[in-house]
Amino acid sequence: MQKAKIILCKLLFLLLLSNRIIAQDENYSAPQGLNNWYVEIGGPAIFYSVNYEKYLFRTYSEKLTWTARVGAGYTPFNFDILNTEYLAKNTFVFPFSTTFLKGAGKEKLEFGGGFSLLSEGFATNEIIPHAILGLRVMESNDVCFRLNYVPYWRGGGVMHWVGISIGKNFSFK
C-alpha cells in the first residue's frame, strides 16, 4: 500500500510540472478527430479490451481534454494474475471510465477513473472500481498510444495493474 502512495505522489508531481513541458516538434499539428478507438492489453479490463472513446470537452488550446470511454473484453480461459487475482473462463469485462488529458503537444498526462463490470457467463456480475494514471501520445498521423497505471479495488484490497493501448483518432464527418 505504501508503494502505491509513493507512485501516486510521483504521478501527481509530474502532473503539476506538465505546465512547464514544451513540445520538441514545432511543426506538430494535433489530430482533429473527436473520437478514438483502441485495443488495450491489461488496463481496467484486466486481460484485454476493445474500446471506444469520445472527447466530451477540449479547450481551444487543447491543453485540457475530458474524455469518456466504454470497452468490451472476453476471457476465453482461466486467467490467473500474478497469483493474486483470478478471472474465470468465459468472463466478459466491460470497462467504463472518464479521464482528463493534460498537456500541450502530442504528449499528455492522463488521470481519471471509473469501473469495470465483470460478468461470468452473464450469470454472476461484479463491479470493480478503478483509477487511471498515465501517459498518452497522439501522433500527427492520428495514432494514439497509451501507457497507464491502473489500480483497482477488488475483494477488499488494491491490485496494482498496468495497461498498454494502441489505436486511432477519427471524427464523424
Side-chain angles (χ1 to χ4, degrees), residues 2-14 131 133 149 151:
Q2 186 66 16
K3 269 186 175 179
K5 288 180 183 178
I6 292 171
I7 291 171
L8 181 61
C9 288
K10 287 180 180 180
L11 286 172
L12 289 175
F13 180 71
L14 286 173
L133 301 166
Y149 165 65

Side-chain angles (χ1 to χ4, degrees), residues 8 11-12 15 44 53 64-69 96-102 108-115 128-136 146-153:
L8 181 61
L11 286 172
L12 289 175
L15 177 65
E53 179 178 65
L64 182 67
T65 305
W66 177 32
T67 69
R69 78 107 174 246
F96 299 88
S97 62
T98 184
T99 59
F100 289 94
L101 306 177
K102 180 155 178 31
K108 300 187 184 296
L109 291 175
E110 182 174 15
F111 58 97
F115 66 92
I128 301 174
H130 63 266
I132 297 173
L133 301 166
L135 175 69
R136 179 182 298 214
R146 301 169 64 228
L147 177 62
N148 290 317
Y149 165 65
V150 183
Y152 65 90
W153 292 263

Side-chain angles (χ1 to χ4, degrees), residues 40-60:
E40 183 171 43
I41 304 298
I46 302 171
F47 184 50
Y48 81 94
S49 62
V50 177
N51 301 274
Y52 168 75
E53 179 178 65
K54 175 76 175 166
Y55 290 0
L56 301 176
F57 173 79
R58 183 167 39 181
T59 60
Y60 182 72

Side-chain angles (χ1 to χ4, degrees), residues 9 12 16 23-24 34 40 45 53 56 82 84-85 91-92 94 97-98 106 113 136 139 147-148 161-162 171 173:
C9 288
L12 289 175
L16 293 174
Q24 298 286 329
L34 300 175
E40 183 171 43
E53 179 178 65
L56 301 176
L82 304 174
T84 57
E85 292 291 325
T91 298
F92 293 90
F94 303 100
S97 62
T98 184
K106 60 184 174 180
R136 179 182 298 214
E139 291 293 335
L147 177 62
N148 290 317
W161 199 234
V162 295
S171 190
K173 289 185 179 182

